[in-house]
Amino acid sequence: MTQTHDLSATRMAAAVRTREVSPVELAEHYLARIERLNEQVGAYVTVTAERAREEARRAEKAVLDAAGPADLPPLHGVPVPIKDLNMVDGVRMTFGSAAYAEMTGFADDHVVTKLAQAGSVLLGKTTTPEFGLPCYTESDVAPPARTPWDLTRSAGGSSGGAAAAVASGLAPVAQGSDGGGSIRIPSSACGLFGIKPTRGRVSSGPIVPDLFGLATNGPIARTVRDAALLLDVMAGHMPGDLYRAPQEDGSFLAHAERAPGRLRIARTLEPPVPGTEVHPDCVAAYEAASALLEELGHEVVDLPQQVLGADLVAHFVTLWGAMATMTPVADEDTGKLQPLTRWLRGLGEATAAPQLLQAHAALQGELRKAFPVMDEFDAILHPTLAMPPVPVGYFHDQEPEENFRRQANFTPFTAVYNISGQPAVNVPLHWTDAGLPIGIMLAGRLGGEGTLISLSAQLEEARPWIGRKPEIWTA
């Protein structure tokens, strides 16, 4: 029997517009599931139940008052949670940190405003690790985010709560953010489709600066079309943004309905992080995806050279340490920070301004050499991660340096495209014999989200994953 949370977000939005489903019914359904299951999966740090009910009642009234479906916005009545790194006016915001456990948001991020204007209903704030710095979601303010495919294992991070919510049926789609892989990592660990858009596609304002352009907001969803619709809503340059993505030809949702044509796709299994070994299950997913792409008529070749390699790692760590200092913490609250956060902030505080500028300049120099090679291809294929989902505590229980080393070896492929600003997606094509999801990553040219979405929709049609559901889905 079909349950309410079996509906895709696009189908849900259509059903609301035609009065087949009530926004109040949707909100109550998800709030009930969150109440029953959230403690198991660690998806939400704050649930805005009364606000969700009020927004759903207003959405229902708007449906009844509307002259027709065309008068309603694209996500009208559809529940969408916000990651706890993004501010919502009047809603608790912790940044995943005990140092901010009692803070209340005093403004709306632009992405929050856009989702509200699209008619979405806020269910709450999804869990994130402290300041979004790690690739796993274990904090001092909420339970660990766990992949519903094996509740002993991490959902990844830093959008771990967002991915756990969607994969467990606690939200139809979710907003996430990605500064080093934080949408693609949990999407892989939870068997979802996630998009890191081109730098400048989605505004990080009005509060969060986009100085290095590493981080961006993006969608996490069960289907390519849902993610494309969410990206259409979230996208847009705002005054004061330092970066602007190239103009896209048509809507992203339209690209999901469009055949990609025959594409030239490069692939590489060589990790940019030295000392990384790619797990056989991740190699199997990569080889199977390569074969499927060829079967669909695309040209698949090995990337002719390692264009962004080990030289980038130290420079990226320099920037990451500096970014860790950007969230202010009162002296009396520094003891509340987790060991990894204190270690990363120490790296950042010890970095002189010339070192920081030199690191950023060195990254730009490497990109100037790399883009002529990468731009020869419509897409580049990698494993998303070098390992299947790992047990909760695999990173968190280590000393900071070992913790960070393990993270780098777990996620060697993702941060490259935060450095370059290129769009990249996780496509959930593979599951292990033990039932764990293994994603593959496709990166595109700057401004090339449309091509990636068309290609991903073709892959989804050839190897549908929507029918795969973890046991908790039917709870």
Side-chain angles (χ1 to χ4, degrees):
M1 181 180 296
T2 299
Q3 302 180 84
T4 298
H5 57 280
D6 286 324
L7 298 175
S8 68
T10 48
R11 176 70 185 91
M12 199 174 285
V16 167
R17 287 194 292 272
T18 57
R19 304 183 185 181
E20 298 172 62
V21 176
S22 155
V24 172
E25 175 190 344
L26 292 177
E28 292 295 351
H29 177 83
Y30 281 106
L31 289 171
R33 283 186 63 81
I34 291 166
E35 185 176 359
R36 291 199 308 274
L37 303 173
N38 186 56
E39 196 68 25
Q40 296 180 50
V41 297
Y44 290 85
V45 59
T46 300
V47 180
T48 54
E50 289 312 307
R51 175 170 174 156
R53 291 185 174 106
E54 176 58 29
E55 290 181 355
R57 285 192 289 267
R58 290 203 303 267
E60 185 164 283
K61 183 177 186 303
V63 172
L64 298 175
D65 292 344
D71 290 346
L72 298 169
L75 287 173
H76 191 79
V78 176
V80 182
I82 299 296
K83 184 176 176 179
D84 204 30
L85 293 184
N86 292 85
M87 189 171 289
V88 180
D89 190 16
V91 175
R92 180 187 182 217
M93 176 161 187
T94 74
F95 295 102
S97 175
Y100 279 86
E102 304 304 321
M103 187 177 116
T104 298
F106 50 83
D108 284 340
D109 278 3
H110 289 322
V111 71
V112 172
T113 301
K114 285 178 174 291
L115 285 164
Q117 291 171 342
S120 70
V121 170
L122 179 68
L123 289 173
K125 303 292 291 294
T126 56
T127 53
T128 185
E130 194 161 61
F131 305 157
L133 295 170
C135 70
Y136 60 92
T137 305
E138 298 171 44
S139 77
D140 293 329
V141 295
R146 303 170 184 270
T147 175
W149 298 93
D150 179 347
L151 292 173
T152 69
R153 296 176 184 263
S154 172
S158 64
S159 305
V166 176
S168 303
L170 306 189
V173 289
Q175 170 267 341
S177 58
D178 190 317
S182 293
I183 285 172
R184 292 157 288 157
I185 294 162
S187 294
S188 180
C190 293
L192 301 170
F193 182 74
I195 305 174
K196 183 203 85 68
T198 295
R199 177 178 294 150
R201 180 70 69 201
V202 181
S203 176
S204 65
I207 297 167
V208 178
D210 50 5
L211 300 179
F212 302 135
L214 295 178
T216 182
N217 293 286
I220 296 175
R222 292 167 56 222
T223 74
V224 175
R225 286 165 180 79
D226 282 0
L229 173 61
L230 200 57
L231 184 56
D232 277 328
V233 167
M234 297 165 69
H237 181 86
M238 299 296 288
D241 291 347
L242 293 181
Y243 304 97
R244 184 192 290 266
Q247 185 67 33
E248 186 55 63
D249 178 23
S251 74
F252 294 114
L253 185 56
H255 278 283
E257 307 290 346
R258 185 183 306 164
R262 187 171 192 266
L263 303 180
R264 189 162 186 253
I265 300 170
R267 67 174 204 155
T268 179
L269 195 59
E270 185 177 349
V273 177
T276 297
E277 293 185 11
V278 182
H279 191 279
D281 285 331
C282 300
V283 175
Y286 166 84
E287 295 292 356
S290 300
L292 177 56
L293 288 165
E294 289 187 326
E295 180 184 320
L296 292 170
H298 302 293
E299 178 188 3
V300 180
V301 300
D302 289 331
L303 192 67
Q305 63 190 79
Q306 179 68 293
V307 290
L308 293 170
D311 292 344
L312 298 182
V313 176
H315 302 313
F316 179 80
V317 173
T318 297
L319 266 61
W320 203 247
M323 288 174 64
T325 70
M326 292 298 292
T327 308
V329 178
D331 290 344
E332 61 268 23
D333 288 333
T334 56
K336 297 177 181 178
L337 298 179
Q338 295 186 339
L340 177 70
T341 305
R342 292 198 299 270
W343 181 75
L344 285 169
R345 286 168 71 91
L347 294 180
E349 290 162 357
T351 301
Q355 291 176 279
L356 183 61
L357 292 174
Q358 288 162 6
H360 205 194
L363 291 174
Q364 185 181 13
E366 290 297 316
L367 290 171
R368 283 174 168 162
K369 293 184 290 185
F371 272 121
V373 179
M374 295 191 291
D375 284 348
E376 289 293 315
F377 304 97
D378 299 295
I380 302 175
L381 169 69
H382 308 269
T384 302
L385 299 172
M387 298 167 61
V390 296
V392 170
Y394 174 80
F395 308 108
H396 195 62
D397 294 347
Q398 308 302 314
E399 291 299 313
E401 288 191 55
E402 173 62 14
N403 177 332
F404 196 78
R405 185 194 69 79
R406 289 189 178 196
Q407 290 187 66
N409 288 331
F410 182 59
T411 65
F413 301 102
T414 54
V416 164
Y417 297 106
N418 298 89
I419 294 169
S420 71
Q422 293 165 260
V425 301
N426 176 77
V427 188
L429 288 176
H430 191 79
W431 268 255
T432 69
D433 291 341
L436 295 174
I438 305 285
I440 58 99
M441 182 170 65
L442 291 163
R445 298 187 183 99
L446 286 169
E449 292 97 321
T451 298
L452 294 181
I453 287 168
S454 294
L455 177 58
S456 299
Q458 184 185 53
L459 291 169
E460 181 181 27
E461 183 178 5
R463 297 286 188 276
W465 56 76
I466 192 68
R468 287 185 176 270
K469 296 167 185 172
E471 185 175 341
I472 202 171
W473 189 265
T474 57

